[in-house]
Amino acid sequence: MRGPDPLGWDEYCARWSLTHGGYDPRRASPLVRGWLRLGHRLGTALVRVGVRSPDAATLAGLLLSAAVPLTAPAFPAGPLVAALLVLLSAVADTVDGVLAVIADRATRMGQVYDAAADRLSEAAWLLAFTLLGAPVWLTVAAGAAMWLHEYVRARATAAGMRDIGTITVAERPTRVLVTVFGLLATLADPRAATVAAAIALGLSLVGLAQLVFAVRKALR
């Protein structure tokens, strides 16, 4: 059965902004804005055919990510399949937020589930790099930097920061791209797993510095 007509892009951005501290996604970088536009289009298509559960999309994304470290080292083409799983997981993660907004099913618990699923997904991706040969200390450090990036933003918001502070170089779309291209590169050279983990760590540290600067400015 056909669902109700979903929100257009501008109205969606306005509602998205309300659930993200007032930040307007139309002011984001081209990468982040393009990713959100893709999610909006997919979510719109799902709502029109009657799919309206954001929690189902969150769970689907988490299960896809859980399969990444199982698949990547399993057979010669494993990294290729794992890269596809990461991409599908990221799409599901984007769609769940879109469904929450345009189907008017955003809840505080849903936001908690989504954030937890994101961190677990990223841990699974980094585990895949470890199994493909990246040093454990490096993937652990990258995961810690990613976690700290999100933790600082969450605590700053709880402390009174009115929006998400700033869009850094280490946002979710960047992490997805580093993971996807890193997995694909291991098909040509196994050392790419180490390089990808190092890039993830470096970008996360730079993003953290950007975020801390924005937080200090917002809460000063």
Side-chain angles (χ1 to χ4, degrees):
M1 182 176 64
R2 179 187 171 89
D5 287 336
L7 304 177
W9 171 245
D10 288 333
E11 189 177 356
Y12 167 73
C13 287
R15 291 198 187 181
W16 188 94
S17 179
L18 292 175
T19 62
H20 292 78
Y23 188 88
D24 187 347
R26 290 168 293 190
R27 295 192 288 112
S29 67
L31 175 62
V32 174
R33 189 169 62 250
W35 185 259
L36 291 174
R37 269 193 172 277
L38 173 63
H40 173 257
R41 289 170 181 167
L42 293 173
T44 295
L46 290 174
V47 168
R48 282 177 173 160
V49 298
V51 178
R52 299 171 59 85
S53 174
D55 289 343
T58 299
L59 179 60
L62 182 57
L63 292 176
L64 287 166
S65 286
V68 171
L70 300 176
T71 305
F75 47 94
L80 174 61
V81 177
L84 179 60
L85 291 173
V86 170
L87 190 58
L88 292 174
S89 172
V91 170
D93 175 58
T94 301
V95 168
D96 68 0
V98 175
L99 290 175
V101 173
I102 64 180
D104 198 22
R105 293 199 174 186
T107 65
R108 286 179 292 182
M109 279 307 302
Q111 293 177 16
V112 173
Y113 293 149
D114 183 51
D118 286 351
R119 304 293 79 78
L120 290 172
S121 293
E122 290 159 3
W125 303 347
L126 290 169
L127 176 58
F129 283 133
T130 301
L131 296 175
L132 289 171
V136 173
W137 70 265
L138 183 57
T139 55
V140 170
M146 290 179 186
W147 174 83
L148 189 57
H149 182 282
E150 298 304 324
Y151 179 78
V152 168
R153 176 174 283 152
R155 294 306 303 165
T157 302
M161 187 171 70
R162 288 180 295 179
D163 57 25
I164 60 177
T166 186
I167 297 293
T168 75
V169 299
E171 301 295 345
R172 179 80 166 174
T174 302
R175 298 171 199 169
V176 171
L177 291 177
V178 169
T179 304
V180 168
F181 286 112
L183 288 169
L184 293 176
T186 62
L187 293 169
D189 189 339
R191 292 174 295 182
T194 299
V195 174
I199 291 173
L201 174 59
L203 287 174
S204 294
L205 292 176
V206 172
L208 179 61
Q210 290 179 297
L211 184 59
V212 168
F213 179 80
V215 169
R216 285 174 59 86
K217 183 178 180 181
L219 298 182
R220 184 173 297 166

